[in-house]
Amino acid sequence: MAARIMEDLYEQAGGDPVPADIQFSVHVRVDYELLVLVGGLRDAFAYADTMEPCYTPHGKELAEYIANFVESYNWSNPDDRHDRRFVHSVRLLMEVEWRTIFWTPGEIRHLSDWAHADLADLG
């Protein structure tokens, strides 16, 4: 599902409100939680203040658009609002974050795999 979502997100690039040079990465935790990381944005576009995690109006519009887009792949049980395919969040990255090991544009990272690998190393 994450691969389909990311592929479709890239197809949105260049359309309003998604800038053409945007990049995405998806982190999946235990096949339930999706975190969509968005890079390729200038801090001036995304952040009102880089010292406070506060998006500009353009950044907020973009984050909400992406969240709604991702939500369109979801389903929920009308009798149990906690019974969902997945929960998700969107985070616009600051320019400095593009150079970290956590930023892997175009990739899907399964965070549960890292946790299992770390536990195996301890044994």
Side-chain angles (χ1 to χ4, degrees), residues 109-121:
R109 284 195 170 180
H110 295 273
L111 301 181
S112 60
D113 294 344
W114 289 359
H116 293 296
D118 292 342
L119 291 174
D121 291 341

Side-chain angles (χ1 to χ4, degrees), residues 2-118:
R4 174 85 255 166
I5 290 170
M6 187 161 53
E7 185 178 320
D8 291 348
L9 279 169
Y10 272 108
E11 288 179 10
Q12 300 297 308
D16 191 38
V18 186
D21 55 352
I22 200 167
Q23 297 177 327
F24 301 99
S25 177
V26 177
H27 290 187
V28 179
R29 186 179 309 275
V30 193
D31 298 328
Y32 177 72
E33 180 183 13
L34 295 175
L35 169 61
V36 179
L37 301 172
V38 181
L41 304 169
R42 294 285 166 216
D43 287 344
F45 174 89
Y47 284 90
D49 180 355
T50 56
M51 300 306 286
E52 298 281 330
C54 182
Y55 295 148
T56 63
H58 292 295
K60 188 174 188 174
E61 178 185 18
L62 176 62
E64 288 175 2
Y65 176 86
I66 292 170
N68 289 334
F69 184 83
V70 172
E71 181 61 26
S72 72
Y73 292 82
N74 212 347
W75 61 259
S76 61
N77 181 342
D79 297 323
D80 180 0
R81 65 184 179 95
H82 298 290
D83 183 10
R84 301 173 56 81
R85 176 179 283 158
F86 57 82
V87 295
H88 62 85
S89 58
V90 175
R91 191 160 76 80
L92 307 182
L93 298 176
M94 291 182 186
E95 291 177 49
V96 70
E97 293 177 287
W98 302 351
R99 293 169 200 75
T100 68
I101 62 169
F102 299 104
W103 175 231
T104 54
E107 291 186 19
I108 297 168
R109 284 195 170 180
H110 295 273
L111 301 181
S112 60
D113 294 344
W114 289 359
H116 293 296
D118 292 342

